[in-house]
Amino acid sequence: MIKNKVNNFILKNHKFFNAFWAIISKLLSGVKLVVIGIIVARYLGPKDFGSFSYCISFVTLFSVLAEFRFHNIIIREISESKINTEKILGSAFYSCFFFSLLGYITLVILVNLVETNENLKYLILIYGISYFFQTLRFLRAFFIAKYKNDIIFRVEILVGLIVMSLGLLLGIMGQGIIAFIVLRVFDVLMISTLLVVFYQLEFKRLKKWRFDKQVSIDLIKNSSPLVLSSLALVIFQQFDKIMIKQFLDEYSVGQYTAAVSLISLIVFAPVVLSEVISPYLIATREKIGKEAYLRNTQLFSDYIFWGSFLLCLIVTPLSNFIIKTVYGDKYLEAIMVMQIFSWQGVLIAMGSVAAQIMIIDNTHQKAYFKSIAGGLINIVLNIIWIPKYGIIGAVWASLLAYVVSSYIAHFFILRYRYIFFVQTRSITHGLLNIFTDLKNRKKGLNA
């Protein structure tokens, strides 16, 4: 009896720390990118910061194709343990390399068609090299599925300290945009290298990776809907900056990005928490029965929704103070952007929960419908509203697109209507569900 209690205590604490390391790791990753952005913004000013952000956004648009987003599928496959892990990793590696090459070729073609500024074109192609260094980042999914988020934490903190220190040094030395672009490429290279190093140190199975044609086809097939969904998400996050640059100028991109990059930190905790909880739901789905699984899924949605809502509620009134403190008086136009855009965090959290439920239930194949709908709304509204309302028009276009893709669209797609009702119950009864759950957990601890 005592042995069982000890084992349960260890298991619960292991799960807690695994979730804790996952959130901290993702937060470190976000902080690192935001810090680099702040250094560029403060040392180079809004115009050059806008150019820097535009190049990053342009390359990020096609990173979905280059990376092919095997992440969630790999977590599911490894968690379910139906396929040899080395086959999954080997197949993922060769598939990712192929898509990295395809992504870079696509980038080269489109940048020559779209961009007329030779300097920006050159910077975009340099940063595009990072596609090839992203090839091994699927190992994140492996570590998450194996409850080894502490390894990801070690990688992120080591790379974060190095990259932020180098970024500060580049700023003090008065280096230009190209130095910071190269630094971003170096960042991706370092993360991938260390993920491989830690994998080999921990598991020593790198030489056992094997390419399996059928596994690769299955990974691509299962990931394809998620790629389309991710493309829509990237459009939400990046395409507005590209359109602001086309309709307005780099200065406006700088103001807009100053706010948006800080808001991205709000989103990290709920999104990562949803990824971390996903393996537990997958592992327990068959064991606890349908009724208990549905109850856990509802609580999963409740906690993520209201947690993100609380974060946004705190950030909105602090936007003025945050912008002035972080960026200075050159970025006052970013204050209103941040005040409105902070509520994007709730919508992204809702979308992340929905995506995880779809993957767990293996119903994600039609997810691209809602994502494409949201992406099209975002593009159309940006075309109409940016020339008329400036960067605030881009903010409202993005928010409305998220409302559609992360929530409303689920009602109109029969396969996902149940997710719409899960989300609706989180909005209307989520707080009560959380209160009841915490009360029951307290009773269980005292028993």
Side-chain angles (χ1 to χ4, degrees), residues 378-423:
N378 190 40
I379 292 171
V380 171
L381 291 180
N382 270 318
I383 292 172
I384 298 171
W385 286 350
I386 290 176
K388 190 173 183 180
Y389 302 111
I391 57 177
I392 297 301
V395 175
W396 286 111
S398 183
L399 285 178
L400 187 57
Y402 268 114
V403 170
V404 171
S405 66
S406 296
Y407 179 49
I408 295 175
H410 296 138
F411 180 82
F412 294 98
I413 303 173
L414 187 60
R415 176 179 288 196
Y416 303 137
R417 191 167 292 174
Y418 76 104
I419 296 177
F420 173 83
F421 290 116
V422 168
Q423 292 175 318

Side-chain angles (χ1 to χ4, degrees), residues 206-223:
L206 190 62
K207 292 183 179 179
K208 295 185 179 182
W209 286 10
R210 295 291 180 269
F211 174 77
D212 185 286
K213 183 179 178 181
Q214 188 56 50
V215 172
S216 180
I217 290 172
D218 290 341
L219 283 174
I220 294 170
K221 182 180 177 182
N222 287 322
S223 297

Side-chain angles (χ1 to χ4, degrees), residues 303 430-440:
Y303 275 105
L431 279 177
L432 179 61
N433 291 340
I434 291 170
F435 176 78
T436 303
D437 180 60
L438 292 174
K439 189 176 179 181
N440 290 337

